[in-house]
């Protein structure tokens, strides 16, 4: 199974330590195509067109998209819109600690292919365990 993990980069890196925890946990279930999102140092000098095209290619290859959406990010919002269009299974994680999640993410919840889960940081591993143990992917 391949997972595309989304997290804020240019939107702000406040949650990078949490992204690392999420990616570490995701790697126990699947191949994570976008591990770099959790890296403290991002030295990608190959240009924005390269990043965009490479990431869309990974998105197409992925079976599941997991997004930490607490830190608002244009790139993450864009990835989620494209993922819906590609009919991917999407799991959004939001920490309700002061911010209000965009209606375009909260309002996309359908309880099946697009799930938004409010959570507390301490529970992240447990929540990912639950999600992956209940995950049913469409047959190819
Ligand atoms: O250098 C990058 N590498 C990269 O893979 N991305 C992708 C993956 C992230 O889930 C998302 C972050 O978007 P943003 O940078 O707008 O916060 O975009 C984004 C950037 C910078 O925009």
């Amino acid at each position: 199974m391949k997972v595309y993990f989304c997290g804020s980069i240019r939107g702000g890196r406040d949650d990078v330590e949490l992204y690392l925890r999420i990616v570490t946990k995701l790697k126990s279930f699947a191949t994570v195509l976008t591990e770099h999102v959790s890296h403290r140092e991002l030295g990608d000098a190959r240009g924005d067109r390269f990043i965009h095209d490479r990431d869309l290619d990974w998105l197409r290859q992925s079976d599941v998209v997991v997004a930490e959406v607490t830190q608002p990010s244009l790139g993450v919002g864009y990835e989620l819109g494209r993922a819906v269009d590609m009919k991917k299974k999407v799991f959004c994680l939001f920490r309700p600690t002061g911010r209000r999640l965009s209606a375009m993410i909260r309002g996309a919840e359908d309880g099946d292919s697009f799930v938004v889960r409010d959570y507390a940081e301490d529970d992240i591993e447990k929540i990912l365990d639950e999600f992956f143990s209940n995950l049913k992917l469409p047959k190819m």
Side-chain angles (χ1 to χ4, degrees):
M1 190 192 334
K2 292 179 186 165
V3 174
Y4 188 103
F5 173 68
C6 313
S8 171
I9 295 180
R10 294 188 193 166
R13 297 295 276 162
D14 300 3
D15 289 340
V16 69
E17 303 298 331
L18 183 56
Y19 300 162
L20 183 59
R21 252 175 87 184
I22 293 172
V23 166
T24 302
K25 185 66 184 174
L26 290 175
K27 283 166 77 180
S28 69
F29 306 111
T31 301
V32 180
L33 299 168
T34 53
E35 193 175 343
H36 66 282
V37 173
S38 71
H39 292 168
R40 251 173 251 124
E41 304 292 323
L42 281 168
D44 209 332
R46 286 173 289 188
D48 291 354
R49 166 67 66 186
F50 173 87
I51 291 168
H52 172 272
D53 293 352
R54 176 202 61 192
D55 286 7
L56 280 192
D57 197 42
W58 278 336
L59 195 57
R60 271 182 215 103
Q61 288 177 43
S62 67
D63 302 296
V64 186
V65 177
V66 175
E68 215 299 344
V69 295
T70 310
Q71 170 88 64
S73 152
L74 285 172
V76 172
Y78 175 81
E79 289 166 334
L80 292 174
R82 297 296 302 255
V84 168
D85 207 39
M86 292 178 201
K87 305 203 178 342
K88 299 292 176 183
K89 194 115 188 160
V90 176
F91 187 43
C92 295
L93 294 156
F94 179 72
R95 302 191 320 288
T97 50
R99 282 198 179 101
R100 196 163 172 209
L101 182 58
S102 167
M104 298 308 287
I105 303 300
R106 180 79 71 195
E109 157 86 50
D110 65 7
D112 177 27
S113 18
F114 197 106
V115 174
V116 179
R117 179 70 198 261
D118 290 335
Y119 76 105
E121 190 166 340
D122 286 352
D123 298 332
I124 187 63
E125 283 86 3
K126 189 174 66 134
I127 277 161
L128 290 170
D129 274 331
E130 276 168 21
F131 176 75
F132 280 92
S133 60
N134 294 322
L135 181 65
K136 287 180 198 78
L137 291 174
K139 295 232 166 34
M140 288 298 169

